[in-house]
Amino acid sequence: MKRTLLATAFVLASTTALASKPADIVVDMHTVSDTGVGASIGTITLSHNRHGTVLTPDLKGLAPGLHGFHMHTNPSCEAAEKDGNMVPGLAAGGHYDPNNAGKHGTPWGNGHLGDLPVLFVDADGNANQPVLAPRLTLKRMRGHSLMMHAGGDNHHDHPMSLGGGGARMACGVVSAAK
């Protein structure tokens, strides 16, 4: 009887834990240019983890090396005009910064909340190494965009602002729906 009660309690606890885990979110990623959103390059899956949110890319056809990666404020990947020129992905706005940190920083630090770890693209142009966003939840990521930049990111505003990453090269909108 005691074993049956313990087994039942374990099953109920396991079921409750599984039921309370947020469902993964799959974000479709596309190239961006000054004319708008382009071809699909794959997906990034967002998963709940007790340490934050795990972002698992499945991307192809990219330039090898490290690429800056951020969550941006707006749920758009469209080009927008700045100083008379169309800028790829500019409609996504800036790095997500609800706490008004006003500075670029590490994903675990006190900069923009949207500062994410860099993405690594292998020699074959594939990105598939997961990264951890320890300060973000799936709920908080909904209704924003993920942006990948040409070039790396040093997670500082010096010697160049926003980590020195290059142009916006790929983007995906995180669905606002549950």
Side-chain angles (χ1 to χ4, degrees), residues 19-161:
S20 65
K21 180 184 181 283
D24 291 353
I25 301 170
V26 177
V27 179
D28 293 319
M29 297 293 289
H30 296 266
T31 60
V32 292
S33 71
D34 59 0
T35 60
V37 178
S40 173
I41 59 168
T43 62
I44 296 179
T45 301
L46 313 179
S47 304
H48 171 74
N49 178 292
R50 67 185 177 115
H51 301 290
T53 297
V54 177
L55 297 93
T56 305
D58 183 12
L59 306 174
K60 297 176 183 357
L62 301 168
L66 295 177
H67 292 273
F69 187 43
H70 307 98
M71 185 170 81
H72 284 242
T73 303
N74 303 323
S76 176
C77 295
E78 295 296 329
E81 187 176 336
K82 179 179 180 181
D83 300 328
N85 297 311
M86 295 303 286
V87 178
L90 189 61
H95 297 179
Y96 182 60
D97 190 20
N99 301 326
N100 296 313
K103 66 179 183 174
H104 188 60
T106 60
W108 49 89
N110 60 0
H112 304 138
L113 193 58
D115 294 334
L116 301 173
V118 295
L119 290 180
F120 172 73
V121 177
D122 66 23
D124 295 325
N126 302 312
N128 54 28
Q129 297 297 315
V131 296
L132 176 68
R135 300 184 298 153
L136 290 173
T137 63
L138 294 178
K139 182 177 180 180
R140 184 156 235 177
M141 294 183 80
R142 290 186 177 282
H144 299 285
S145 57
L146 297 177
M147 188 70 66
M148 192 173 175
H149 296 265
D153 183 340
N154 70 4
H155 295 112
H156 296 283
D157 283 324
H158 300 287
M160 295 178 64
S161 65

